Amino acid sequence: MHRRDLMVGGLGLGLAALPTFEPGTALAQPVTPTRGGVARIVVEEPPILTSAFITTMNIGMVSSKILEGLVSYDLDLKPVPALAESWETSADGLRTTFRLRQNAKWHDGTPFTAADVRFSLLEVWKKLHPFGRAVFANVTEVETPDPYTVTVVLSAPALYLFNYINTYGAQILPRHIYEGTDILKNPANVAPIGTGPFRFKEWQRGSHLVLERNPDYWQAGKPYLDGIIFRFIPDAVARSVALEAGEIDVTIGSLIPVTSLRRFSDRAKYTINTDDGRFLASIFLAQINVRRPHLGDKRVRQALSHAIDRAGLVRLVWQGYGKPATGPIPSSVTQYYHRGNPQAYDPRRAEQLLDEAGLRRGADGKRFRINLVSGSGNSLESGRAGEFIKQAFARIGVDLELIIEDSAAYLRRVYTDGDYDIMTSSLHKLPDPTLGVQRLYWTRNIVRGAPWTNGSGYSNPELDRIMEAAAAEGDLAKRRDLVNRWQEIVQEDAPILDLVELTWTTVSTARFRKERVQGDGMFAGLEDAWLAPR
Amino acid sequence: MSGIALTAAPPAASDSPGLLRRLAGNRSAALGGVLLALVLGFAVVGPLLWPGDPWEMVAAPMLWPGEDMANPLGTDVMGRDLATGLVSGARVSLLIGLVATLIAATIGTLFGALGGFYGGRTDAVLMRVTELFQTVPTFVLAVVLVAVFRPSVTTAVLAIGIVSWPATARLVRAQFLVLRDREFVLAAETLGMSTPRLILTQILPNALPPVIAMSTLTIAHAIQTEAALSFLGLGDPNVMSWGTIIGGGREQLTEAWYVCGLPGIAIIVTVLAFNLLGEGLNDALNPHLQRR
């Protein structure tokens, strides 16, 4: 139910990680895995079962067990081999070669080869995936010199490409099933044939979905589990109760409300993993419509930013599960994170800025009135954050009217009609700013009617040039300088107030263990997961 | 004869002496009155005892009632004082209940009166419209109306009013059908009284007593509907009502039941008060009982 705003596709996938206050509890357990058993996992019911051309998160949570990508990501969001064993990029940054697993097979017995990767990249990701179009825009050709080698030829360097090729961002589909068909309507989308550790068995819509162990999996001896049952429990209270009663083993994707997490704080009985969603680099933000009266003045936007106590927001609304955001890139994206926060909590400075902008308090103590729009399908925290911001603005004399609308009306109001002053949303910033951040500031991305584009209407030709240069820069150090400049500009101009770096929680019973810690654990294959004996 | 009939017209029930005494003598009405007085008192005196903004985060989140006397009824998940919230909720709920009912009574009376008085084709058309509204589940219609026009106090009041009028319309129509052919009405008509005057001064006053009784029940229903809308997140996000508090607290039902429980009790007491009062009024205003 929650997080619908995060799942609606647009352009926000993230690679960045959230800093965690709890070290990965799955780390370093010198226990021998137990074989057998069926893990019962709760997710929100997905509409289909392949992520190759759609970004809905809960599809990824299920499909990642069946279908795989070239890599997965560790806690630092560095790529770890999956179907690609190794890779190298030429000195000019224009050719990237992947060596593939030679013992991987599709669930119907057909061998997995380079042709599958070529087909998926050119016909599925580049053409149909909402982000894939950007990620693979520079790809001019995909060469397959032998069945286990793929060379991607680029027209310009694309460092960001390595940040979006896991099973969630670039899922590899079987060419022999999809070629020559209408990919979006292929029956395999709801009964997938993959290379992953688990095979699709049964899907009872509205109730559950069953996966069984793939005995021919390319990692010898894995998976440990005999199968997985995904259960769909729409009510949050019922989910918590089911986990406590031992009826389920795992919930993925912050399905237990933060206010209930204290019930699962006993480490002997439960594990709360806060690293699984690092890859998404999600930030809760307030976007300001700079075309509105007063809000076109950057002093006013800075004042609004100074008025919000981000630490208080994290503490009260997110119950500590999150981190105050300081800029457009979350701190977990260590490669590009910019430390400075020019708009720390300072209500007096806020009032001063508003006075300077000529917006003095009236006889009733109020300066002006604006609205804040959010979607009713957004998270529970999103609504509470609106209430928090209303109080914060009241303190500096800004009267805030909260408007909550259903998701469709909210998107129309913000991206089609532009009829709002401030909107809140949770967006994936992804581990690379070119993929997840540029879209929110780029002048060319002011696209009427397209959700999750540049909806603030902010336009800065200098920033546009910097962002475009950063995208095509093949040298990491130079690229970092460009991204730093970029962050300084948007922190100063403040068309978007980044408020909270979100933490995605996976809550499980302590019996549920996993060998490897992943930054994209939400989309883990779980071949290395097992259930410890009771 | 017509003159006699005119003077024999039954006086409007609400003017009759002894109504209050009869109400007081009715046990359910008396109990309802006392409960309602309590709720009204809470709404009026409450702001003096617990002043301030119900949205202000004043203390630690999820304080239990009695844990800290600065917040005697505890705090919600964001540290907002529940007593202040309940006072705000009382005012919002009563206001919405009254205004929505006024709207329902007005529309219902208009439809019922015209249909019952004119009969024939007018009646048929008006009653088909009424049936149209009666066949749609009222709460679903209210949800749709509020969702289509952005949630606010105004849309909630209008939506509740719009879904609540058909019962009143039916009742008023039945009254008019009966009264239309009574001697005093025929007499007035024969004397050349204009139709509007006939309806307003002769029939309506005599048709109203059951409407008043029913409206009291409608208030109770309106308060429940508003709470349910807010619970679903379709309340006015700028106004703290009982339903808002319940909706915000439902995820913590197992950790802090009182966040939902206290406003829940408030709704039960208020709805019970109006129901008892409505029943009592119905007995007291019953024209048969009255004439005896």
Side-chain angles (χ1 to χ4, degrees):
Chain A
M1 245 331 93
H2 315 145
R3 313 285 180 185
R4 188 85 17 96
D5 48 344
L6 288 171
M7 304 190 306
V8 182
L11 290 170
L13 312 176
L15 287 178
L18 303 170
T20 56
F21 32 85
E22 232 177 290
T25 41
L27 261 172
Q29 281 159 344
V31 188
T32 323
T34 314
R35 293 188 174 279
V38 174
R40 297 153 303 172
I41 303 179
V42 175
V43 294
E44 258 188 87
E45 184 162 19
I48 59 170
L49 300 180
T50 169
S51 299
F53 47 77
I54 188 165
T55 58
T56 307
M57 288 167 53
N58 40 337
I59 297 178
M61 295 175 203
V62 176
S63 69
S64 51
K65 283 67 187 161
I66 310 166
L67 291 142
E68 296 180 292
L70 290 170
V71 306
S72 67
Y73 295 99
D74 66 14
L75 275 193
D76 298 322
L77 304 177
K78 299 225 166 60
V80 176
L83 280 178
E85 259 176 353
S86 65
W87 48 86
E88 72 224 8
T89 299
S90 64
D92 60 4
L94 296 179
R95 290 174 72 82
T96 295
T97 300
F98 295 92
R99 311 244 173 252
L100 306 179
R101 303 275 170 199
Q102 306 203 359
N103 59 341
K105 273 191 203 146
W106 295 102
H107 293 159
D108 61 3
T110 313
F112 159 76
T113 68
D116 295 310
V117 179
R118 183 175 192 277
F119 170 79
S120 300
L121 196 162
L122 293 177
E123 301 301 320
V124 187
W125 311 334
K126 194 175 153 102
K127 283 190 185 160
L128 304 172
H129 192 285
F131 293 96
R133 282 191 278 251
V135 177
F136 302 104
N138 294 351
V139 175
T140 52
E141 183 48 81
V142 178
E143 295 169 3
T144 55
D146 69 63
Y148 303 106
T149 306
V150 176
T151 299
V152 178
V153 184
L154 299 159
S155 58
L159 283 180
Y160 50 84
L161 191 139
F162 279 99
N163 292 329
Y164 204 57
I165 48 172
N166 64 353
T167 183
Y168 173 67
Q171 197 164 63
I172 300 168
L173 294 182
R175 185 181 69 126
H176 66 284
I177 303 284
Y178 280 88
E179 190 167 46
T181 69
D182 181 348
I183 291 165
L184 298 178
K185 291 183 183 153
N186 194 299
N189 292 338
V190 291
I193 292 161
T195 55
F198 295 94
R199 296 195 297 211
F200 173 78
K201 190 174 173 195
E202 184 199 357
W203 183 4
Q204 284 286 330
R205 274 164 226 256
S207 165
H208 64 275
L209 192 150
V210 183
L211 307 184
E212 60 183 8
R213 184 173 190 274
N214 173 9
D216 301 323
Y217 189 51
W218 53 267
Q219 290 189 49
K222 290 181 186 170
Y224 301 128
L225 292 167
D226 284 339
I228 295 174
I229 295 179
F230 286 103
R231 287 189 50 195
F232 314 124
I233 306 179
D235 180 65
V237 175
R239 286 192 289 262
S240 301
V241 171
L243 189 60
E244 280 181 322
E247 280 171 27
I248 54 173
D249 303 301
V250 190
T251 66
I252 309 180
S254 296
L255 286 184
I256 305 283
V258 285
T259 42
S260 299
L261 285 176
R262 66 180 69 170
R263 284 158 63 189
F264 302 98
S265 56
D266 182 354
R267 294 256 192 126
K269 289 163 93 177
Y270 306 103
T271 306
I272 302 177
N273 179 313
T274 53
D275 294 325
D276 273 356
R278 280 188 175 223
F279 170 81
L280 296 170
S282 314
I283 288 191
F284 178 79
L285 52 81
Q287 173 178 284
I288 300 174
N289 187 351
V290 303
R291 294 159 289 210
R292 285 300 182 113
H294 312 318
L295 301 177
D297 185 336
K298 81 175 175 192
R299 289 171 299 185
V300 175
R301 301 196 298 266
Q302 288 169 350
L304 297 179
S305 189
H306 280 304
I308 302 172
D309 176 11
R310 290 161 172 78
L313 195 56
V314 171
R315 197 176 55 244
L316 271 178
V317 175
W318 275 271
Q319 309 281 312
Y321 284 85
K323 195 178 165 183
T326 58
I329 300 175
S331 55
S332 52
V333 183
T334 48
Q335 245 176 6
Y336 298 109
Y337 174 62
H338 187 273
R339 231 148 268 290
N341 178 20
Q343 276 132 42
Y345 178 51
D346 187 351
R348 285 174 64 188
R349 175 80 188 125
E351 298 227 37
Q352 201 182 331
L353 280 164
L354 291 176
D355 286 343
E356 280 170 26
L359 297 164
R360 301 192 167 274
R361 282 184 188 259
D364 59 353
K366 290 176 181 169
R367 297 170 189 275
F368 58 95
R369 180 179 174 84
I370 46 178
N371 62 38
L372 183 146
V373 188
S374 63
S376 60
N378 296 7
S379 63
L380 195 69
E381 289 82 28
S382 160
R384 290 183 182 149
E387 293 160 12
F388 184 97
I389 295 169
K390 183 183 166 89
Q391 296 302 118
F393 284 3
R395 266 171 238 131
I396 59 163
V398 175
D399 193 15
L400 188 69
E401 182 200 6
L402 298 176
I403 299 177
I404 297 177
E405 289 184 319
D406 69 80
S407 298
Y410 154 77
L411 291 179
R412 192 172 55 244
R413 179 186 284 273
V414 173
Y415 293 100
T416 306
D417 303 338
D419 178 23
Y420 75 103
D421 294 318
I422 301 180
M423 67 84 103
T424 55
S425 182
S426 301
L427 290 178
H428 303 330
K429 298 300 193 85
L430 302 191
D432 192 290
T434 297
L435 299 180
V437 182
Q438 179 176 341
R439 61 194 172 111
L440 303 173
Y441 300 98
W442 201 22
T443 305
R444 281 180 53 193
N445 219 20
I446 302 176
V447 187
R448 197 154 276 253
W452 320 119
T453 51
N454 177 350
S456 70
Y458 171 75
S459 170
N460 180 340
E462 187 202 350
L463 178 66
D464 288 344
R465 272 195 304 277
I466 291 171
M467 292 191 296
E468 285 157 19
E473 181 55 63
D475 180 85
L476 183 61
K478 285 186 195 157
R479 189 157 189 258
R480 205 176 276 151
D481 288 342
L482 288 167
V483 174
N484 271 345
R485 183 76 198 105
W486 163 357
Q487 290 178 82
E488 281 161 12
I489 291 173
V490 301
Q491 281 171 339
E492 165 75 15
D493 285 358
I496 292 174
L497 313 181
D498 292 284
L499 299 176
V500 176
E501 298 181 1
L502 300 174
T503 298
W504 291 94
T505 56
T506 300
V507 186
S508 59
T509 60
R511 286 183 69 212
F512 181 81
R513 310 275 174 84
K514 188 176 179 307
E515 286 175 339
R516 210 155 56 84
V517 183
Q518 288 179 240
D520 60 348
M522 249 177 184
F523 312 114
L526 295 187
E527 73 286 349
D528 58 342
W530 78 92
L531 290 168
R534 279 177 207 277
Chain B
M1 150 147 188
S2 54
I4 297 165
L6 264 181
T7 51
S14 51
D15 297 337
S16 67
L19 172 66
L20 273 178
R21 204 179 318 139
R22 244 176 304 132
L23 265 181
N26 181 309
R27 215 180 308 159
S28 67
L31 182 57
V34 170
L35 288 178
L36 185 60
L38 281 177
V39 175
L40 282 172
F42 185 65
V44 173
V45 182
L48 304 174
L49 295 174
W50 298 286
D53 182 350
W55 296 97
E56 193 66 50
M57 295 147 226
V58 291
M62 296 205 264
L63 277 181
W64 276 74
E67 199 174 329
D68 179 351
M69 283 327 283
N71 311 97
L73 297 182
T75 58
D76 74 356
V77 68
M78 282 176 68
R80 295 176 292 221
D81 184 51
L82 273 180
T84 316
L86 288 174
V87 170
S88 161
R91 301 170 80 95
V92 173
S93 293
L94 290 173
L95 176 80
I96 289 181
L98 288 171
V99 179
T101 301
L102 200 64
I103 293 174
T106 309
I107 304 178
T109 306
L110 192 70
F111 267 59
L114 294 178
F117 185 85
Y118 288 107
R121 194 167 294 173
T122 314
D123 185 37
V125 170
L126 290 174
M127 284 308 111
R128 290 306 83 73
V129 174
T130 310
E131 275 163 16
L132 197 68
F133 277 85
Q134 278 186 310
T135 49
V136 182
T138 55
F139 186 64
V140 176
L141 183 58
V143 166
V144 170
L145 287 172
V146 172
V148 170
F149 308 98
R150 174 221 292 192
S152 70
V153 167
T154 316
T155 49
V157 163
L158 287 175
I160 296 169
I162 286 170
V163 302
S164 306
W165 65 266
T168 310
R170 287 273 174 200
L171 185 67
V172 173
R173 174 175 175 268
Q175 291 281 309
F176 266 65
L177 282 180
V178 174
L179 294 171
R180 178 76 182 85
D181 299 324
R182 292 279 286 274
E183 287 88 351
F184 71 93
V185 175
L186 296 176
E189 209 170 9
T190 315
L191 283 179
M193 196 180 268
S194 71
T195 305
R197 197 163 160 228
L198 185 66
I199 291 178
L200 288 174
T201 64
Q202 298 303 311
I203 310 181
L204 195 59
N206 290 291
L208 270 184
V211 174
I212 291 169
M214 169 164 262
S215 291
T216 319
L217 302 177
T218 308
I219 296 177
H221 188 246
I223 289 173
Q224 282 176 314
T225 308
E226 190 280 330
L229 286 172
S230 298
F231 175 80
L232 291 178
L234 292 170
D236 190 325
N238 301 288
V239 173
M240 177 86 75
S241 79
W242 288 334
T244 314
I245 305 175
I246 296 179
R250 72 179 191 272
E251 307 276 348
Q252 290 77 50
L253 200 55
T254 39
E255 291 90 10
W257 63 266
Y258 62 90
V259 177
C260 291
L262 294 177
I265 292 169
I267 292 172
I268 291 172
V269 170
T270 311
V271 169
L272 188 68
F274 279 110
N275 274 339
L276 290 174
L277 199 61
E279 223 165 89
L281 272 173
N282 194 31
D283 290 349
L285 294 172
N286 189 314
H288 299 296
L289 292 175
Q290 184 190 335
R291 218 159 297 153
R292 266 174 232 145

